[in-house]
Amino acid sequence: MHPLLRFALWSCPRDFRDRYGNAIARDASERRISFVLVALDLIYQGSVMRAESVARDIAYGARTLARSPTYTIVAAIAIALAIAANVAVVSVLNGILLRPLPYPSAERIASVTSGAQNLTNAPFSYLDARDLGAATGNTLQAFGISSPDATATLSGIARPVILQGNDVDAGYFRVLGARAALGRVFLASDLGTHHVIISDRLWRTFFNANPAVLGRTMQLDGATYSIVGVMGARFRDVTPIGLVRRDYWTAADPQVQNNLFRGTITYNGWALLRSGTSFASAQADVDRAMSEIVRRYPVVHEGWGKPLLRPALETIVAPVRSMLWLLYATVLLLLIIACANVINLTLTRATTRRGEFAIRGALGASRTRLAAQLCSETALLSAIGGVAGLALGWGALRIFSSAASRILPRWEGVHVDLSVLGYVVGVLVLTTIATGIIPALSSRHTLVAGLKAAGRSGDVAASKALRSSFVIAEIALALAVVLSAGLVVRSFIALMQVPVGFDGQNLYAADAPGLPSSRYPSHEAGLRAVDRIAMQLQGIPGVQAVAITSGPPFLAEENTYTSFPDHLASEPVDLNVVSARYFKTMRIPLLRGRDFDQRDRLTSEQVAIVNAAFARRYFGTLEVLGRTYHPHIGWKGREIRTIIGVVGDTRNSFHAPIAPVQYLTTKQVPGIFAQFVIRTNGQDGELAQAVARAYGNVDPLFPAPSVRAYRQLFSEDAGSARVAAMLFGVFALIALVLALAGIYAITTYGVEQRTRELGVRKALGASDRAVLADVLIGALRISAFGIALGLAVAALGARLLTTILFQTSPFDPLTFGAAIALVVLSSLFAAYVPALRATRVQPAIALSYE
């Protein structure tokens, strides 16, 4: 046969090839018909025949599934749940971890940390960043800095508003490859000027999208700024915690910087590597440049570690990478469990169809034909489950969106796109193959036996063992998921039980920028305004106590370099400037000495209160009253502070360790602080509006502050742990339900197949209790094998959870014991109904079945 004809015949069904292949070849040869034309016609006719065959299989499969509604519904639900979990997690994985940052040359953008005091994500001072950028031109195409966060009050409008901004240098926009939609970005000549770039949102909201906005002015914190550019609507700032929408950008001012501020680390560093430069080469160059800076200014940089340069995307997603990959591994296990469930159900159902398969085989149907029929049925199930799962996954993302956007970085890029749809299609194809081929292959053992056994009860041992194996696999994987969920939930509970050092119940933080110096030029004028705000707040119904703070815990963190008598080098130490009632309002215990009071004035002895961690770390004891130290707050001649009190330790985050904190009084620090902590009696339904009115009563030009309950701040701080606990818990529940469905199915089928045996046993005097125990023990035996295998799987994967667990061992015995007990009890529950049905078998009826 001509090779071209042989190839074309492969497009036709096998029966057609066997029956007509040789005849077609002879006819074409005898009639001297072009083999090319015959091959093309065969390919076309073969495609038509295969399409018709597939259509017949699908139609037959639909009728078959309609006759077994329970099987169809259970199998479709199993697939839908697994697909929904995969759609949701893969969309998150794709949007957060896999999709590149939305900047040109995003793969060459890196975050750079200074290594200050070996801090994680340590920022730069302006001077260090300037010198580092100048010294690394061989490997870095651009180097820029940005402030971690900035706020300003936009005035000159009916009611001032608080804007979120960023203080950057000219290199920042070059690193991101960003261009202004209108006007320009900053040049080196803009540094130190009152030039501002505004966002598209600000341009449209306050300037009516006027294209003539360039050159116009706006008031920020009472100062006049000239607009030089408008960024595009899609532009976002890059930060170590994600992409952030800003309202404005101001140019850093090098004129206020000198070597006294070289140790003031306030800017995040960003770099664009030159094309062809590896991250390793750039890291070596940054190491060299930073080492030279440390050598030139040794006092300021005492105790610093090495700088770190790494891809910006890696920096952003590092806190959630392990959690997301573990979630993906979990949903893959769910998919395997669902497939095993469907295969088991199909095998059970196929056993009842032995007669049908045997007769079709005896009439000439090949194993391939039977496999195609089963695959068409499972393809229908996969399609139904896939569409339902896609809808469920999309809905889950929509429901979860509002909470996740505050917890997970880059959430704005999470959606069900073509790549996710392609993934789902691929998964469904594999699911169809797995759930169709395996039952079809197992049917080859039953063709002959099926004709002999048709009409009689009984079971094929090989088929029974295969079904049991799939149930064991389901239980093993379900146990692994349940154990993972248990460890994550236990970790979350441990996290939420960490003491924060103050009472967050009925406590609120009112966060607002400082008072504009143009309206309150003197320290005394500003203090009087803040005191009037505090009196207004104190008069709000339900408010018990009010205090001023420069950095409410869990909301803001500020530090300053500090020197000690016995330490050669200064260190950055957390700083909080507070009023006299702060510790009582927060309910932070006073361990030694006294609180701030009227004795502490601008002209009196400069004092400080420190926490216990501060006293132990820098003085080795809590008995530090009267000791002195030197915080570098920039007020020459008055920085020496005498410790007058020691208070309890507090946290700025559940995850962060206790840090040394120094508290200074607002009466002795140059600067105006208008942030408050407010304690209520619990009746605070309109607190935010009342606080806004209090600010407005003192000065109508004050913007309304942000008022946030500490229960909300706690929830957001523990957000990623809460999300992990919730998702692992949901997936564990799905896995457990699928495994229980498998146990129920195989136990039910076993009872049906043993109807005659059970009837004989009862006729011979077996009690209902003995029959019940026999069925339950059989289910427990399968569960025991699954639990043993599951423990092995869990032991291999438990260490992977270490990166997301908090104060919880990956082999926590309590969690392992609880998970095993849950699986055992669930297995008994799933097997109990069919076991109870077995006790109701009537001997006479059972013996008359055949």
Side-chain angles (χ1 to χ4, degrees):
M1 184 183 296
H2 193 277
L4 190 61
L5 285 182
R6 184 178 290 107
F7 171 78
L9 283 169
W10 275 105
S11 65
C12 302
R14 182 177 179 178
D15 293 345
F16 182 87
R17 293 199 307 270
D18 294 342
R19 183 173 298 181
Y20 303 111
N22 292 329
I24 291 174
R26 286 195 305 271
D27 186 63
S29 178
E30 292 171 358
R31 298 174 59 182
R32 298 182 179 179
I33 302 174
S34 171
F35 287 116
V36 174
L37 294 178
V38 175
L40 291 174
D41 184 60
L42 281 173
I43 292 173
Y44 171 75
Q45 295 297 336
S47 300
V48 172
M49 286 185 286
R50 287 192 179 276
E52 291 175 347
S53 177
V54 170
R56 287 194 301 271
D57 285 344
I58 291 175
Y60 180 78
R63 293 193 301 271
T64 303
L65 293 177
R67 290 195 295 269
S68 305
T70 303
Y71 161 79
T72 304
I73 293 172
V74 172
I77 289 176
I79 295 173
L81 291 175
I83 293 298
N86 273 267
V87 166
V89 173
V90 170
S91 297
V92 173
L93 201 70
N94 184 49
I96 294 177
L97 297 186
L98 304 181
R99 184 175 288 120
L101 296 175
Y103 306 113
S105 305
E107 72 284 354
R108 293 191 282 127
I109 297 176
S111 68
V112 188
T113 60
S114 65
Q117 298 299 322
N118 294 304
L119 298 175
T120 303
N121 294 329
F124 285 88
S125 66
Y126 177 88
L127 296 176
D128 279 353
R130 181 198 62 188
D131 294 347
L132 181 68
T136 53
N138 291 332
T139 56
L140 303 184
Q141 183 175 327
F143 184 83
I145 55 174
S146 64
S147 59
D149 197 8
T151 59
T153 302
L154 176 65
S155 55
I157 55 178
R159 179 68 190 270
V161 296
I162 300 174
L163 302 180
Q164 302 297 318
N166 197 351
D167 192 43
V168 303
D169 68 349
Y172 176 72
F173 290 108
R174 291 203 304 272
V175 168
L176 300 184
R179 298 178 180 272
L182 191 64
R184 61 176 176 80
V185 295
F186 289 137
L187 306 174
S189 58
D190 290 307
L191 299 182
T193 66
H194 275 198
H195 288 171
V196 66
I197 299 171
I198 62 174
S199 69
D200 179 84
R201 180 175 58 178
L202 190 66
W203 177 52
R204 296 181 185 278
T205 303
F206 295 103
F207 296 95
N208 298 317
N210 185 353
V213 71
L214 301 180
R216 292 181 59 177
T217 60
M218 58 189 289
Q219 299 292 315
L220 293 177
D221 283 344
T224 301
Y225 285 79
S226 176
I227 300 172
V228 298
V230 179
M231 298 306 293
R234 294 186 178 182
F235 178 76
R236 299 290 185 272
D237 263 352
V238 61
T239 76
I241 61 173
L243 305 184
V244 178
R245 176 181 290 185
R246 305 288 194 190
D247 297 312
Y248 70 90
W249 294 263
T250 53
D253 188 357
Q255 297 176 10
V256 301
Q257 305 289 341
N258 54 57
N259 282 328
L260 291 176
F261 293 92
R262 187 172 284 275
T264 304
I265 50 175
T266 56
Y267 290 98
N268 293 319
W270 305 97
L272 177 65
L273 276 64
R274 291 193 177 278
S275 180
T277 300
S278 68
F279 276 85
S281 299
Q283 177 70 69
D285 201 22
V286 169
D287 288 344
R288 176 197 56 77
M290 201 65 201
S291 296
E292 177 61 21
I293 294 172
V294 171
R295 187 191 64 79
R296 291 172 59 190
Y297 306 98
V299 175
V300 174
H301 300 95
E302 181 70 26
W304 283 33
K306 287 189 175 182
L308 176 63
L309 180 145
R310 59 177 176 172
L313 178 59
E314 181 181 338
T315 300
I316 292 171
V317 304
V320 299
R321 174 185 280 110
S322 296
M323 181 187 74
L324 294 182
W325 282 117
L326 284 170
L327 285 173
Y328 180 61
T330 302
V331 298
L332 285 182
L333 290 181
L334 282 183
L335 183 63
I336 296 172
I337 293 172
C339 287
N341 196 289
V342 174
I343 291 171
N344 191 45
L345 290 173
T346 305
L347 285 171
T348 302
R349 181 167 170 267
T351 305
T352 64
R353 299 170 66 187
R354 286 201 309 265
E356 173 196 341
F357 291 153
I359 292 172
R360 292 183 63 186
L363 293 176
S366 64
R367 295 173 186 172
T368 303
R369 192 73 190 83
L370 293 177
Q373 177 60 57
L374 283 175
C375 282
S376 67
E377 295 178 14
T378 54
L380 279 174
L381 283 175
S382 296
I384 295 170
V387 172
L390 198 60
L392 286 173
W394 179 83
L397 288 177
R398 293 292 300 271
I399 294 172
F400 189 57
S401 180
S402 60
S405 60
R406 297 192 299 268
I407 298 168
L408 299 176
R410 305 192 67 203
W411 183 261
E412 68 280 354
V414 174
H415 50 267
V416 180
D417 58 11
L418 290 178
S419 61
V420 176
L421 292 178
Y423 172 84
V424 171
V425 170
V427 166
L428 290 176
V429 170
L430 293 176
T431 301
T432 298
I433 294 173
T435 56
I437 294 296
I438 294 177
L441 293 178
S442 70
S443 68
R444 72 181 186 272
H445 300 293
T446 64
L447 292 180
V448 177
L451 285 173
K452 297 178 179 178
R456 296 198 338 240
S457 62
D459 196 7
V460 179
S463 179
K464 181 178 179 180
L466 187 60
R467 289 195 304 275
S468 298
S469 299
F470 279 111
V471 174
I472 289 171
E474 286 184 63
I475 295 172
L477 296 178
L479 178 61
V481 176
V482 170
L483 277 171
S484 299
L487 290 170
V488 173
V489 170
R490 187 165 172 79
S491 171
F492 173 69
I493 294 173
L495 180 69
M496 295 305 294
Q497 290 177 342
V498 170
V500 295
F502 60 91
D503 183 6
Q505 187 70 22
N506 298 326
L507 185 66
Y508 294 79
D511 184 22
L515 309 184
S517 58
S518 58
R519 292 180 59 79
Y520 301 93
S522 69
H523 185 247
E524 292 75 12
L527 288 180
R528 287 194 296 269
V530 172
D531 287 341
R532 290 198 301 271
I533 294 175
M535 292 179 63
Q536 290 281 334
L537 294 176
Q538 189 67 62
I540 296 174
V543 171
Q544 293 180 337
V546 175
I548 303 168
T549 174
S550 64
F554 282 78
L555 190 60
E557 187 174 353
E558 182 180 359
N559 62 59
T560 185
Y561 271 81
T562 306
S563 300
F564 304 92
D566 299 331
H567 292 68
L568 295 178
S570 58
E571 296 187 23
V573 180
D574 288 355
L575 170 69
N576 197 350
V577 182
V578 301
S579 63
R581 295 180 55 82
Y582 175 79
F583 301 110
K584 291 182 179 179
T585 302
M586 297 292 291
R587 295 179 182 171
I588 300 173
L590 182 65
L591 306 179
R592 300 286 192 280
R594 66 174 178 88
D595 198 348
F596 297 123
D597 57 30
Q598 296 301 321
R599 288 172 285 179
D600 306 315
R601 300 183 302 276
L602 192 63
T603 57
S604 64
E605 180 186 25
Q606 305 298 289
V607 298
I609 296 174
V610 300
N611 70 343
F614 184 104
R616 291 191 179 98
R617 177 168 179 177
Y618 299 115
F619 296 97
T621 177
L622 294 183
E623 308 305 327
V624 295
L625 300 183
R627 305 286 291 270
T628 60
Y629 71 98
H630 179 185
H632 302 181
I633 58 174
W635 200 11
K636 282 191 174 182
R638 308 201 65 84
E639 292 96 337
I640 300 299
R641 298 279 164 167
T642 301
I643 300 174
I644 61 170
V646 180
V647 296
D649 295 327
T650 60
R651 292 180 184 271
N652 265 319
S653 169
F654 285 117
H655 301 83
I658 296 292
V661 182
Q662 54 185 318
Y663 299 92
L664 307 183
T665 173
T666 56
K667 304 297 185 182
Q668 294 184 339
V669 176
I672 310 302
F673 307 97
Q675 299 183 84
F676 294 88
V677 285
I678 305 169
R679 184 169 297 282
T680 72
N681 59 10
Q683 300 175 357
D684 41 34
E686 302 294 331
L687 184 63
Q689 294 86 341
V691 170
R693 286 194 297 270
Y695 274 72
N697 290 341
V698 174
D699 189 335
L701 296 183
F702 282 165
S706 169
V707 180
R708 305 177 70 182
Y710 263 89
R711 62 176 178 271
Q712 178 187 354
L713 296 176
F714 291 160
S715 177
E716 291 179 3
D717 187 74
S720 60
R722 176 179 285 103
V723 168
M726 180 183 68
L727 292 180
F728 273 102
V730 170
F731 295 155
L733 179 62
I734 294 174
L736 197 58
V737 169
L738 292 177
L740 297 187
I743 295 173
Y744 177 85
I746 195 169
T747 307
T748 299
Y749 178 76
V751 169
E752 291 177 353
Q753 294 299 303
R754 295 175 62 192
T755 298
R756 185 171 182 275
E757 172 200 336
L758 294 175
V760 171
R761 290 182 60 185
K762 293 193 70 175
L764 295 176
S767 65
D768 290 347
R769 180 177 298 179
V771 172
L772 183 68
D774 180 62
V775 176
L776 291 179
I777 289 172
L780 284 178
R781 187 179 297 112
I782 293 176
S783 298
F785 283 114
I787 289 171
L789 181 60
L791 288 175
V793 174
L796 292 175
R799 293 190 182 276
L800 299 177
L801 290 169
T802 305
T803 55
I804 67 171
L805 296 182
F806 179 82
Q807 295 183 359
T808 302
S809 168
F811 299 100
D812 179 59
L814 181 62
T815 304
F816 270 65
I820 293 172
L822 178 62
V823 171
V824 170
L825 292 175
S826 301
S827 301
L828 288 174
F829 174 78
Y832 182 74
V833 173
L836 191 63
R837 191 179 300 128
T839 64
R840 297 172 181 171
V841 172
Q842 298 298 321
I845 298 177
L847 293 174
S848 66
Y849 272 1
E850 301 190 19

